[in-house]
Amino acid sequence: LFRFLKTAEGTRKKDYLLLRLPLIGGISRKAQAAWFTGTLVTLLGAGVQLMEAVELLLANADNVAMRDALAVVREDLLEGGTLSQAMGKHNIFPKLVVQTVAIAEEGGTLTQQLSALTGLYQGETTRAVEGLTSLIEPVVIVTVGVFVGVIAATVINTVYSLLPAIK
């Protein structure tokens, strides 16, 4: 399994699977949205042209699903499409991001809107991770408690079984 996950196909399947899992998928999608909007606003704010910024995002995306989506976004931009139209073709980009980018493109406020989206999705990602952690924490505590209880019961049972041999 670990060898398979290190291959290109294994990484692809893992990344797409992470986006589909019930709890983790939402967190992963929000984290990808925060990464995309945050990096794009930084690049655009530094004066990088949109096409070059998308190419840099494509080169630095660590998630295969995001890389695939950015490759198609890049192609659509080369064909003369808008960023929001290209993003709308992929479900990795939340609808709120696509709609906000569309409005921002028309109004000329892309960097400001992307900055607001970055804060929103970073906050949502943090809250989602904290929520998941608070769900997992009691399960871990009960599991450790059961494990310690089994060890204690085994030790006590062993001591009581040796008592008759000592007398």
Side-chain angles (χ1 to χ4, degrees):
L1 180 64
F2 291 112
R3 283 186 186 163
F4 176 70
L5 290 176
K6 291 186 186 257
T7 65
E9 185 62 27
T11 303
R12 173 176 298 287
K13 289 187 186 270
K14 175 194 59 113
D15 286 349
Y16 276 97
L17 177 66
L18 282 177
L19 292 171
R20 289 191 200 110
L21 291 176
L23 292 174
I24 298 171
I27 295 172
S28 180
R29 194 174 306 281
K30 289 172 187 175
Q32 290 299 318
W35 173 82
F36 172 77
T37 57
T39 307
L40 186 57
V41 75
T42 301
L43 291 169
L44 293 176
V48 177
Q49 295 297 315
L50 179 61
M51 191 64 214
E52 188 177 346
V54 170
E55 289 175 357
L56 287 169
L57 286 167
L58 176 60
N60 292 297
D62 62 347
N63 185 292
V64 175
M66 179 59 84
R67 216 176 306 142
D68 291 347
L70 287 171
V72 176
V73 166
R74 180 181 168 274
E75 293 303 316
D76 287 354
L77 288 174
L78 285 173
E79 293 172 3
T82 65
L83 179 61
S84 60
Q85 290 171 340
M87 290 170 57
K89 295 179 182 178
H90 303 281
N91 65 354
I92 194 167
F93 300 109
K95 289 183 180 173
L96 178 63
V97 173
V98 176
Q99 292 169 351
T100 303
V101 167
I103 293 168
E105 284 176 327
E106 291 176 14
T109 59
L110 188 59
T111 55
Q112 293 91 345
Q113 296 302 322
L114 286 173
S115 181
L117 285 170
T118 301
L120 173 76
Y121 280 105
Q122 284 176 341
E124 282 191 17
T125 301
T126 302
R127 281 189 296 283
V129 168
E130 288 171 354
L132 184 61
T133 303
S134 69
L135 288 174
I136 292 173
E137 191 174 288
V139 173
V140 171
I141 290 171
V142 168
T143 303
V144 170
V146 167
F147 186 68
V148 169
V150 167
I151 291 174
T154 303
V155 169
I156 291 171
N157 188 26
T158 304
V159 168
Y160 280 124
S161 67
L162 291 176
L163 280 179
I166 295 175
K167 293 180 182 180

